[in-house]
Amino acid sequence: MKFLDQAKVHIKSGAGGGGSISFRREKFVEYGGPDGGDGGDGGSVYAECVEGLNTLIDYRYQQHFKAERGHHGQGRGRSGSKGESITLKVPQGTQIFYENQETLLADLTEVGQRVLLAQGGKGGRGNIHFKSSINQAPRRADTGTPGEELSLWLRLKLIADAGLVGLPNAGKSTFLSVVSRAKPKIADYPFTTLHPNLGIVYVDDKEFCVADIPGLIEGANEGVGLGHRFLGHVERCKVLIHLIDGTQEDVVEAYKTIRVELEKYADELGSKEEVIVLNKSDALLDEEILEKKAALEAFSGKPVDVISAVQKEGVKEVLRKIFQIIKPEEDGLW
């Protein structure tokens, strides 16, 4: 299934049905009074958060959604039936914005959450409502009110426990493929990953969810490269896994580049819990590993874990550390 995290839709709720102008027509009743029924209400448009979806791909092929209009009233006091409402089913973590892409209408983070997007029009009153002592044969009925019509943007922010960040070719996709059953594209060139990937990680009979986003580069917070569009996917994560390519000459500069982009994008990202991981240790000499690890720890002020995702060395220890941050109440598990 292709991944799509943003889509524009056009919705319209149903108009209300018109009221009826009708009079009683019965044998031996010379002056039958009004008996026009009311029009039915138009159908509304809702959005609902459901399980089993992790992409907005359905809205690439269908962008227009229209609820049914209410049925007109009829004689003998018969009211028109209500129009059928429609529901847009979206994955967990979907935000709904108005057309300006700035005003937030809804943030659907819980399965089963449901929100009204466009209210159906009200049905019109039949002429039976306009009868009075002065006017006993009213020839007046209300038309139904029109439905609402608007354009909306759906924007998906994946809900994961941990987010993988790093420069292109840092080994994020390899790491995800090793620790989960996810099968992201892996190759020895930058920007192999073009869209986010989700993987469920199992460690010591426990599990958590990891999101791998495309590599960030300098200026990503301003829209340079692929990172800007996808940084939102790690906003909801409890911890960031900062992967650094150990084969780079200046690992401190690589670390600094990502930190600057995270902090510029959102203060919340810059203050998130972070696990720093020096990857590709299998391609380094022991003294190089010690030197680069010491340099990173001195600059960041945080401990640095050393792993080889390809050789699966040190990976389990990192996963345990991440899980303890995500669920501290189970800290004494190991």
Side-chain angles (χ1 to χ4, degrees):
M1 182 183 289
K2 290 186 178 180
F3 183 85
L4 186 71
D5 66 343
Q6 187 169 281
K8 187 177 184 180
V9 294
H10 308 275
I11 63 171
K12 185 176 182 180
S13 59
S20 171
I21 298 176
S22 175
F23 298 92
R24 292 173 58 192
R25 290 292 180 266
E26 300 171 37
K27 194 174 183 180
F28 307 122
V29 179
E30 186 176 359
Y31 300 106
D35 67 353
D38 300 338
D41 293 342
S44 300
V45 182
Y46 298 88
E48 184 177 0
C49 181
V50 298
E51 272 187 309
L53 290 179
N54 58 12
T55 175
L56 296 171
I57 192 66
D58 292 342
Y59 301 102
R60 171 172 286 176
Y61 306 109
Q62 183 182 358
Q63 294 89 32
H64 295 266
F65 300 88
K66 186 178 179 181
E68 185 183 18
R69 69 168 297 142
H71 294 256
H72 297 309
Q74 299 180 47
R76 298 188 180 180
R78 291 173 294 179
S79 296
S81 58
K82 292 182 178 180
E84 195 75 30
S85 295
I86 58 172
T87 301
L88 308 187
K89 295 182 179 180
V90 297
Q92 194 175 6
T94 300
Q95 292 182 317
I96 303 174
F97 290 86
Y98 287 107
E99 193 171 13
N100 61 13
Q101 297 194 58
E102 294 179 359
T103 308
L104 182 65
L105 173 60
D107 190 0
L108 305 177
T109 57
E110 300 292 335
V111 172
Q113 202 173 340
R114 184 177 169 91
V115 63
L116 175 67
L117 302 179
Q119 178 71 56
K122 284 288 185 183
R125 294 176 298 171
N127 68 338
I128 194 171
H129 293 280
F130 298 97
K131 179 182 176 181
S132 68
S133 59
I134 299 173
N135 185 5
Q136 296 192 14
R139 296 185 177 274
R140 172 191 167 187
D142 290 340
T143 57
T145 59
E148 299 176 352
E149 186 173 3
L150 62 159
S151 296
L152 300 170
W153 280 93
L154 307 180
R155 194 175 300 162
L156 174 61
K157 287 185 177 180
L158 294 175
I159 295 182
D161 298 308
L164 271 171
V165 297
L167 290 172
N169 225 30
K172 300 186 297 298
S173 296
T174 302
F175 180 83
L176 185 66
S177 69
V178 166
V179 301
S180 73
R181 293 180 182 175
K183 301 297 179 188
K185 182 180 179 183
I186 299 170
D188 189 22
Y189 55 81
F191 297 114
T192 310
T193 301
L194 298 177
H195 57 76
N197 293 295
L198 275 180
I200 302 298
V201 176
Y202 297 91
V203 55
D204 298 330
D205 299 324
K206 300 294 179 181
E207 64 179 52
F208 60 90
C209 185
V210 175
D212 166 30
I213 68 168
L216 307 177
I217 60 174
E218 190 172 352
N221 70 90
E222 298 170 351
V224 179
L226 297 173
H228 176 259
R229 178 170 171 184
F230 299 121
L231 270 169
H233 289 296
V234 293
E235 276 190 74
R236 303 183 194 270
C237 297
K238 296 177 183 175
V239 58
L240 298 179
I241 308 168
H242 192 156
L243 228 59
I244 299 166
D245 182 356
T247 61
Q248 288 186 266
E249 286 295 323
D250 192 345
V251 292
V252 172
E253 186 60 33
Y255 173 79
K256 192 194 303 182
T257 299
I258 299 300
R259 289 300 305 174
V260 168
E261 297 310 315
L262 293 175
E263 288 164 9
K264 283 185 177 179
Y265 180 80
D267 292 336
E268 185 185 344
L269 272 184
S271 60
K272 277 191 185 294
E273 193 89 37
E274 179 186 46
V275 174
I276 305 172
V277 181
L278 187 67
N279 192 19
K280 304 185 182 180
S281 62
D282 56 295
L284 300 174
L285 299 173
D286 290 344
E287 51 266 30
E288 287 180 302
I289 294 173
L290 291 172
E291 180 186 336
K292 292 182 176 182
K293 180 183 177 184
L296 278 171
E297 288 180 336
F299 180 80
S300 66
K302 302 172 185 176
V304 175
D305 294 278
V306 179
I307 69 164
S308 168
V310 172
Q311 303 289 338
K312 300 183 181 180
E313 294 175 359
V315 171
K316 181 164 276 193
E317 289 72 18
V318 169
L319 295 181
R320 287 173 171 171
K321 184 176 182 179
I322 294 165
F323 185 81
Q324 289 171 4
I325 295 171
I326 294 169
K327 298 187 178 177
E329 68 277 7
E330 300 184 33
D331 208 17
L333 183 63
W334 298 285

